[in-house]
Amino acid sequence: MSASKMNVPRIFRPEPGDPGRPARGLSDEALAEQRSVFREDLLEGHTILISGAGSGMGKAAAFLAARLGANVAICGRDSAKLDSTATLIQQHTGRTVFCQSTNIRDADAVEALIGRVSDHFGGLDTLVNNAGGQFPQDAIDFTRKGWLAVIDTNLNGTWWMMQEAARRWREDGRAGHIINIVANVERGMPQAAHTCAARAGVIYLSKTVATEWAPFNIRVNCIGPGVIETEGFRMYPEEALARFHQANPMKLRGNAWDVAEAIAYLASPAARFINGDLMIIDGGQAQWGVVWPAGMPDYFAEDGTG
C-alpha cells in the first residue's frame, strides 16, 4: 500500500438505517420465550435501575428482572425505545415499569433521575450502568468530537450515575449495589480505542470505590461482555461481523440473555460476598482472539484477505 493511501482515513460505519441489512439480536418474541435458571421470585421486592434499557442487553436485563419479581426502573435517551421495553414487560409479566428519558452525560439530570426512582419505589437496591456507545475507527483518525463523545458517555456518564446513587445510599443509610457493564479490555481493543480507554477507566474506578464505599455497605462490580449479538451490531460492516464469532474458542456469539442472567445473579442474595470483581462473559475470547469491529486489516491477515 502506498504512503498516500495509508494516510487516508478509512470509513468503516455502514449507512444508518440501511434497509438491506439484517436485524440483529433477540426480537421481542424471542426475548419473551427465553428460559431462566432462576426461581420466579428471586428478586421480589428488589428495586433495580437499568440505563440503556431501550434495546440489547439493557432491555433483556430489565425484562428478566421484572420476571423475577423486581421493581424495575429504566432510563435511556430514546423515549420510544423505553416505552417499547415497558410495554413488553407489562404484557408478559403484568408489572409496570418506571421510565425516564435521561442523558447520563448531564449530571443534574442524573441527580434528578436517581431521586425520582428512589422516591417512586421508596429506595433503590441495584444500579446497572449499561448505557454506552462507540463506533469502529482507527484511533489515529478519531476526531476530537468523536473521542469526547465516547469518553463522556461511557466513563463520565457512568460515574455520575455511580456517585449519585452512592450519595443517596449514604444519605439514606441503605445498602446498595452497582453493576457496570464494561468490556474485556485486558489485551486492548483495536479499532475501539476510545471505548477501551473509557471502559478500563470504569473497571479500575469500580475496583477503587468498591473499597472506599464498603463502609457504607455499597458493593461495586463489573461485567465485561465479549461478542454479544444485539441491535448494536448494525454499527459494524458485514465483513467484520462475518468473523466476530471466530474471536473466541467456542466460535459462538453470545446474546443479550447471557448477560441478563449474569446481572440477575449479581443482583441476587447469592452474590452478597462479591465486590470489586470483573465478570468476563466472552466464550474464552480473552485467551484466544481479537475482535476487529471494522474488519481485520490486511497487515494482520495471513493470506492478506482479512
Side-chain angles (χ1 to χ4, degrees):
M1 182 181 295
S2 67
S4 60
K5 289 184 178 180
M6 289 180 65
N7 290 334
V8 176
R10 295 184 294 165
I11 304 299
F12 299 126
R13 282 165 283 172
E15 288 296 320
D18 181 353
R21 306 196 77 215
R24 303 287 180 180
L26 296 171
S27 65
D28 284 359
E29 293 75 16
L31 189 58
E33 293 175 356
Q34 297 300 305
R35 300 180 64 183
S36 176
V37 299
F38 301 115
R39 71 172 193 265
E40 292 183 357
D41 63 345
L42 179 70
L43 299 179
E44 190 71 41
H46 193 94
T47 298
I48 185 167
L49 168 60
I50 303 172
S51 68
S55 62
M57 295 180 289
K59 184 174 187 175
F63 181 73
L64 178 57
R67 264 181 41 179
L68 300 180
N71 303 315
V72 176
I74 59 176
C75 69
R77 290 185 296 176
D78 191 324
S79 296
K81 288 184 177 180
L82 294 178
D83 289 343
S84 174
T85 298
T87 298
L88 177 72
I89 290 173
Q90 202 283 326
Q91 288 177 342
H92 290 277
T93 72
R95 304 185 72 90
T96 301
V97 176
F98 176 98
C99 298
Q100 183 167 318
S101 177
T102 306
N103 180 358
I104 64 171
R105 300 181 190 180
D106 183 338
D108 291 335
V110 167
E111 181 180 0
L113 168 70
I114 298 295
R116 285 194 64 196
V117 171
S118 297
D119 292 344
H120 182 80
F121 289 112
L124 174 65
D125 297 299
T126 296
L127 166 66
V128 180
N129 284 310
N130 170 72
Q134 57 274 325
F135 52 87
Q137 190 171 33
D138 291 333
I140 200 168
D141 295 323
F142 288 160
T143 64
R144 293 171 183 173
K145 181 179 179 181
W147 170 266
L148 289 173
V150 173
I151 297 298
D152 203 17
T153 299
N154 295 355
L155 178 56
N156 296 338
T158 297
W159 168 243
W160 299 135
M161 294 282 282
M162 292 172 66
Q163 185 185 44
E164 191 56 42
R167 285 175 169 174
R168 175 59 68 116
W169 286 324
R170 182 182 64 176
E171 178 184 328
D172 294 345
R174 183 185 181 109
H177 182 207
I178 297 170
I179 303 171
N180 292 320
I181 308 303
V182 289
N184 188 349
V185 302
E186 184 178 357
R187 295 193 301 158
M189 297 175 67
Q191 298 174 338
H194 40 18
T195 200
C196 184
R199 307 298 191 175
V202 171
I203 291 168
Y204 285 94
L205 170 62
S206 300
K207 288 179 177 293
T208 300
V209 297
T211 300
E212 281 193 24
W213 295 348
F216 306 122
N217 203 11
I218 298 171
R219 294 182 299 116
V220 186
N221 291 294
C222 295
I223 292 175
V227 175
I228 305 296
E229 182 169 332
T230 68
E231 298 93 320
F233 267 33
R234 292 178 65 84
M235 281 293 296
Y236 307 113
E238 292 297 330
E239 57 269 27
L241 295 175
R243 65 171 303 277
F244 267 22
H245 67 285
Q246 297 175 0
N248 67 75
M250 296 178 70
K251 295 192 174 181
L252 295 172
R253 297 175 180 177
N255 63 38
W257 199 253
D258 295 318
V259 178
E261 294 252 86
I263 291 171
Y265 166 70
L266 286 179
S268 78
R272 70 179 188 88
F273 199 49
I274 299 176
N275 189 33
D277 193 28
L278 169 61
M279 178 187 292
I280 299 295
I281 304 174
D282 71 349
Q285 178 185 318
Q287 289 72 245
W288 179 262
V290 175
V291 171
W292 293 91
M296 181 183 288
D298 291 350
Y299 181 92
F300 294 99
E302 292 183 3
D303 61 2
T305 64

